[in-house]
Amino acid sequence: MHDTVAVLGAGAIGELLAGGLLRAGWERRELVLAARRPERQKEIELRVGVRTVLDAAEAARGHRVVVVTVKPGDVLSLIEQIRPVITSEQVILSLAAGVSTQVFEEAFGEVAVVRAMPNTPALFDEAISAYCVGRFAGREAVGAAVGVLEAVGQTILLDEPLLDAVTAVSGTGPAYVFLLAEALIEAAIREGIPRHAAERLVKQTARGAGMLLADLDTSPEQLRAQVTSPGGTTAAAVHVLEERGFRALVEDAVRAAAERSRELGRRAEGGS
Ligand SMILES: NC(=O)c1ccc[n+]([C@@H]2O[C@H](COP(=O)([O-])OP(=O)(O)OC[C@H]3O[C@@H](n4cnc5c(N)ncnc54)[C@H](OP(=O)(O)O)[C@@H]3O)[C@@H](O)[C@H]2O)c1
């Protein structure tokens, strides 16, 4: 028997989460999704096979964990919709980028709130979700929220002010890897490798390098040193990347994403 879960916002992340909960052993009757449009309601019911309703309040009522998976700009109107049905028995698990736990606490009173940032490898139960806890979230409530997040991967507890940086690092992170893969494929093609071969080479390289990074107790620097012989090919490539400011570029990109997360959060909270 699992905690019952209502996922409010049947979009990309809502669908990933519902799928992950089913794979992790949740029964269909323990789950409900809320969509906003009838077309999406039908589509997701067909694809995921979980009951989907068009009324977020109906979905939220009585479910132990209420997951907020709408865009940050839709959070305030969702809060207005569900405010009458939320009780202190429930846990709010918000995945909305930039929106603070305080926003939910001000709306719902002394209710347990957990704010988290997962990422899309959730599709293969390989997400990393950083989470922080609100003022009224006790051990059991946090356990219930973490149980939901663990259905799609790993979790890590951090202080709330770091969540915008997390959004910029691991929330956005898959996109950086995809961009690097795109660039590498294009470069391979310019070197004369046919596209289909370039794609296979790059995709499998990303998967293999990811496994080395994740599964060995070795730092990225050490792994890179192992494949960089003095005067060799990797050294030549890394020299160009370093000289052209690769690290500074990554740092600027992450800073821009973190700032955007803060900005979206401020807007969602009704600030400027
Ligand atoms: N995508 C990621 O990689 C990622 C990673 C971590 C966290 N997040 C966070 O997850 C949240 C959702 O992102 P997403 O990419 O899944 O966005 P999305 O695909 O746009 O999904 C949001 C869904 O919520 C629906 N919705 C909005 N208001 C609603 C309401 N009042 N009742 C019921 N449904 C409602 C939207 O309906 P419509 O179809 O009518 O628009 C949409 O289908 C965001 O806050 C984002 O910050 C995303």
Side-chain angles (χ1 to χ4, degrees):
M1 180 84 176
H2 296 92
D3 286 311
T4 55
V5 181
V7 180
L8 310 184
I13 284 289
E15 182 172 345
L16 282 180
L17 193 62
L21 289 165
L22 289 174
R23 287 192 298 279
W26 261 259
E27 304 273 350
R28 289 178 201 284
R29 61 183 163 75
E30 292 169 322
L31 305 174
V32 65
L33 280 155
R36 187 159 61 170
R37 292 171 295 118
E39 315 86 77
R40 182 65 185 152
Q41 176 194 26
K42 288 197 191 81
E43 183 185 37
I44 202 156
E45 268 191 340
L46 262 177
R47 274 224 300 260
V48 186
V50 167
R51 186 170 71 95
T52 305
V53 299
L54 285 172
D55 178 352
E58 178 192 339
R61 185 180 281 113
H63 286 80
R64 168 75 166 136
V65 183
V66 175
V67 193
V68 175
T69 53
V70 299
K71 293 275 191 210
D74 287 325
V75 167
L76 287 188
S77 66
L78 179 75
I79 284 177
E80 285 316 308
Q81 263 184 287
I82 64 174
R83 196 202 299 262
V85 304
I86 297 298
T87 71
S88 56
E89 307 295 303
Q90 293 174 292
V91 190
I92 306 292
L93 170 58
S94 170
L95 309 186
V99 183
S100 69
T101 52
Q102 200 185 341
V103 168
F104 297 94
E105 290 167 351
E106 280 171 6
F108 302 132
E110 295 194 6
V111 74
V113 182
V114 173
R115 172 182 164 194
M117 179 48 60
N119 58 10
T120 52
L123 182 63
F124 296 109
D125 304 333
E126 291 287 350
I128 177 79
S129 302
Y131 70 95
C132 64
V133 302
R135 283 189 302 155
F136 309 111
R139 220 151 58 110
E140 273 190 42
V142 174
V146 169
V148 169
L149 295 171
E150 284 181 345
V152 290
Q154 302 181 18
T155 59
I156 177 169
L157 174 64
L158 289 172
D159 291 336
E160 182 151 16
L162 295 176
L163 267 270
D164 294 301
V166 166
T167 303
V169 173
S170 54
T172 314
Y176 307 145
V177 176
F178 303 149
L179 185 63
L180 182 61
E182 270 179 69
L184 206 47
I185 288 168
E186 291 308 319
I189 291 168
R190 275 196 296 277
E191 286 296 315
I193 299 175
R195 176 171 290 277
H196 69 91
E199 284 184 1
R200 265 192 72 193
L201 289 168
V202 170
K203 284 186 173 193
Q204 185 54 24
T205 300
R207 181 208 291 262
M211 287 173 77
L212 292 175
L213 264 176
D215 297 345
L216 296 179
D217 197 17
T218 311
S219 70
E221 291 86 346
Q222 284 170 309
L223 286 169
R224 187 164 58 78
Q226 284 167 11
V227 292
T228 312
S229 34
T233 56
T234 310
V238 170
H239 176 72
V240 173
L241 289 170
E242 298 282 20
E243 204 180 46
R244 307 253 177 108
F246 181 70
R247 283 173 202 264
L249 205 55
V250 171
E251 201 177 309
D252 286 354
V254 168
R255 190 175 304 116
E259 184 42 45
R260 182 69 181 143
S261 173
R262 287 181 202 106
E263 192 183 312
L264 288 173
R266 279 194 298 272
R267 273 201 213 163
E269 292 171 19
S272 57

